[in-house]
C-alpha cells in the first residue's frame, strides 16, 4: 500500500473547459430566473400567498409560472451569456493539476483517501475489495431482497403524512466505500478503515431538523458540555480553576455511529421527552430514518445484530443522533455514576479533568469504562495526563496553556493563490488562517513555537504573508459553542 500526497490542497479549483463553464453558468442562471419568477409571481398576485407548511428544505417540483413582465429581462440575461468571451491562461499549479488528472486516469490502481489526513493510498482492485469486504462482513449480513422496497414504502407513507410526497425523492442506492485511518497505531501492518454508506433515505433530512430542535431544547435544561468546535473546548479549558493540580482523562468511543443501538436511541428519546415534547410521529420519523441498507457490488446488506437499524457514517442525521446520545450519556455519567470530574464530549471524543491522586484518577477511569460497557460501547481511554491533544489543540495543565495541533503524518495544505477560486476568497485566506491560529494559541509565545509549519504551508501556497499573533477578543469565541 503506497501513500501518495499531491503536495497541494485538493480544495484547489482547476480551470474548467469553456464548455464546462458555459454549462455551469447556464445552470446557475436558470436557477436564478426560477427564483425571480416565483418572487415576481407572488408580488403580482398578493392573494396567492406561498404555503406556510414546514417543507424541511425540500424544494417544490411545481413548474414556474410564466411572467410576461420578465420576458425582456430574461432575454437580456440570456444575451449576456451568448456574449461571453474566454481568455487562455495557465500557471504552474494549473499545469500540475492537469498532469495529475492524466496520471490518475492512466493508472490502474485505485486512490483511497485517508480519513483524517491529507494522504491518499494506491490500492489494487483486489486489495480494495478485500478491505471493504472485511469491513462489511464484520458488522453486516446479507439483507432480505425486499428490504429496500419496505423502507421506501414507509418513506412514502411519512412523506404523504407531511404532504411532502411531491418534493421528496425515493431512496437512491449507492455503493458503499471506505476511507483509511492512517492515523491509527500499526496502520501499515493492519490497516483500519472507516466504512461510509451513502445509501440514505431523504427522511433523514427531516430527522436531522427534528433532532437538532430536540438537542437545542434539551441543552437549555441539561448543563453538560457537548462541544461543537475547538473554540468551545478552549472556553471550557480556560474556566478550569487550579489547572496545575489536576489531570486529564481522554477517551474515544470506538465506532460510535454504528455502535448506537435502537434500544439506546429509545432510551435517549425517552429521557429527552421529560424536558421537551416529542410527538409520537416525530419519534417514528427519527427511528425510521435509521432503517437503512448498505450496497456493495449491487448486493444489499444489513446490520447483524439490530435488524436493519443503523446509524451510518454519512447519514443526514448522524451527527445530531450522536449529540443526543452524548447528552444522555454525559448526564448519566455526571449524576448516577457520581463522577467528580469536569468532562465534555465532541461526538465520539471525550475529555475529562479530575483532581486527586493518580490512584483515585485510575479508579475514575475504571468506573468510566464500566459505564460505557453497560451500553455495549467500547472505548479507548488514557488517564493521569498533564498534556493532551484534543481535536486540533494541545492542552497543557502544567503551564495552563494551549496551542494548535496537527496529527502526525498529516501535511498542512492550503488553497493555493493560483487556484481558480474567486479573487475575494483567495485574498482572505491568509488573514483567516492567522486569525484561527491566534485563537488556538493561549499566548504569543505558544503561537510562535507552533507557527513554522503553517508559515511554510502558506508560503508554499504562493502567499506573501507573515503570520503574527493577533488574538480575537474572548467574547467572540465564547459564542461559538
Amino acid at each position: 500500500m503506497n501513500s501518495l500526497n499531491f503536495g497541494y490542497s485538493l480544495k484547489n479549483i482547476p480551470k474548467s473547459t469553456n464548455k464546462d463553464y458555459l454549462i455551469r453558468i447556464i445552470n446557475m442562471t436558470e436557477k436564478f430566473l426560477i427564483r425571480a419568477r416565483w418572487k415576481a409571481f407572488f408580488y403580482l398576485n398578493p392573494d396567492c400567498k406561498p404555503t406556510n407548511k414546514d417543507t424541511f428544505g425540500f424544494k417544490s417540483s411545481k413548474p414556474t409560472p410564466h411572467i410576461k413582465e420578465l420576458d425582456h429581462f430574461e432575454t437580456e440575461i440570456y444575451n449576456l451569456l451568448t456574449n461571453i468571451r474566454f481568455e487562455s491562461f495557465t500557471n504552474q499549479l494549473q499545469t500540475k493539476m492537469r498532469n495529475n488528472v492524466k496520471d490518475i486516469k492512466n493508472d490502474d490502481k485505485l486512490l483511497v483517501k485517508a480519513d483524517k489526513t491529507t494522504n491518499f493510498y494506491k490500492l489494487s482492485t483486489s486489495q480494495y475489495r478485500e478491505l471493504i469486504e472485511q469491513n462489511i462482513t464484520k458488522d453486516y449480513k446479507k439483507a432480505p431482497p425486499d428490504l429496500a422496497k419496505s423502507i421506501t414504502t414507509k418513506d412514502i407513507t411519512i412523506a404523504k403524512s407531511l404532504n411532502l410526497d411531491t418534493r421528496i425523492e425515493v431512496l437512491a442506492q449507492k455503493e458503499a466505500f471506505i476511507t483509511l485511518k492512517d492515523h491509527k497505531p500499526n496502520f501499515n501492518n493492519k490497516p483500519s478503515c472507516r466504512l461510509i454508506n451513502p445509501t440514505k433515505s431523504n427522511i433523514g433530512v427531516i430527522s436531522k431538523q427534528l433532532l437538532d430542535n430536540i438537542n437545542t431544547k434539551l441543552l437549555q435544561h441539561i448543563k453538560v458540555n457537548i462541544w461543537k468546535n475547538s473554540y468551545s473546548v478552549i472556553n471550557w479549558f480556560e474556566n478550569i480553576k487550579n489547572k496545575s493540580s489536576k489531570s486529564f482523562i481522554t477517551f474515544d468511543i470506538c465506532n460510535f455511529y454504528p455502535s448506537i443501538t435502537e434500544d439506546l436511541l429509545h432510551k435517549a428519546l425517552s429521557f429527552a421527552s421529560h424536558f421537551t415534547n416529542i410527538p409520537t410521529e416525530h419519534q417514528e420519523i427519527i427511528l425510521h430514518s435509521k432503517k437503512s441498507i448498505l450496497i456493495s457490488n449491487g448486493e444489499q446488506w444489513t446490520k447483524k445484530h439490530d435488524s436493519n437499524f443503523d446509524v451510518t457514517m454519512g447519514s443526514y442525521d448522524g451527527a445530531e443522533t450522536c449529540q443526543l446520545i452524548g447528552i444522555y450519556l454525559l448526564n448519566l455519567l455526571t449524576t448516577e455514576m457520581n463522577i467528580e470530574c469536569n468532562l465534555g464530549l465532541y461526538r465520539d471524543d471525550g475529555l475529562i479533568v479530575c483532581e486527586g491522586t493518580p490512584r483515585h484518577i485510575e479508579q475514575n477511569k475504571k468506573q468510566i469504562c464500566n459505564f460505557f460497557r453497560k451500553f455495549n460501547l467500547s472505548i479507548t481511554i488514557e488517564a493521569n495526563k498533564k498534556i493532551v491533544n484534543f481535536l486540533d489543540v494541545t492542552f497543557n495543565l502544567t503551564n495552563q496553556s494551549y496551542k494548535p495541533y496537527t496529527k502526525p503524518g498529516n501535511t498542512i495544505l492550503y488553497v493555493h493563490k493560483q487556484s481558480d477560486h474567486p479573487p475575494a476568497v483567495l485574498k482572505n485566506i491568509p488573514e483567516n488562517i492567522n486569525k484561527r491560529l491566534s485563537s488556538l494559541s493561549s499566548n504569543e509565545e505558544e503561537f510562535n513555537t507552533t507557527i513554522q509549519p503553517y508559515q511554510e504551508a502558506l508560503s508554499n501556497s504562493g502567499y506573501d504573508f507573515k503570520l503574527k499573533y493577533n488574538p480575537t477578543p474572548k467574547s467572540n469565541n465564547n459564542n461559538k459553542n
Side-chain angles (χ1 to χ4, degrees), residues 181-192:
K181 298 181 179 181
D182 62 347
H183 59 284
K184 294 292 185 181
N186 201 30
F187 171 76
N188 290 327
N189 296 316
K190 190 178 180 181
S192 56

Side-chain angles (χ1 to χ4, degrees), residues 286-300:
I286 292 169
L287 291 168
H288 173 71
S289 68
K290 312 299 180 291
K291 304 294 183 182
S292 64
I293 56 172
L294 183 141
I295 307 297
S296 181
N297 285 330
E299 294 181 320
Q300 298 180 15

Side-chain angles (χ1 to χ4, degrees), residues 122-138:
K122 283 190 175 185
L123 275 70
S124 66
T125 304
S126 59
Q127 285 178 308
Y128 181 81
R129 285 178 177 170
E130 183 181 352
L131 280 175
I132 196 168
E133 183 178 348
Q134 288 173 359
N135 281 269
I136 290 174
T137 55
K138 179 176 64 176

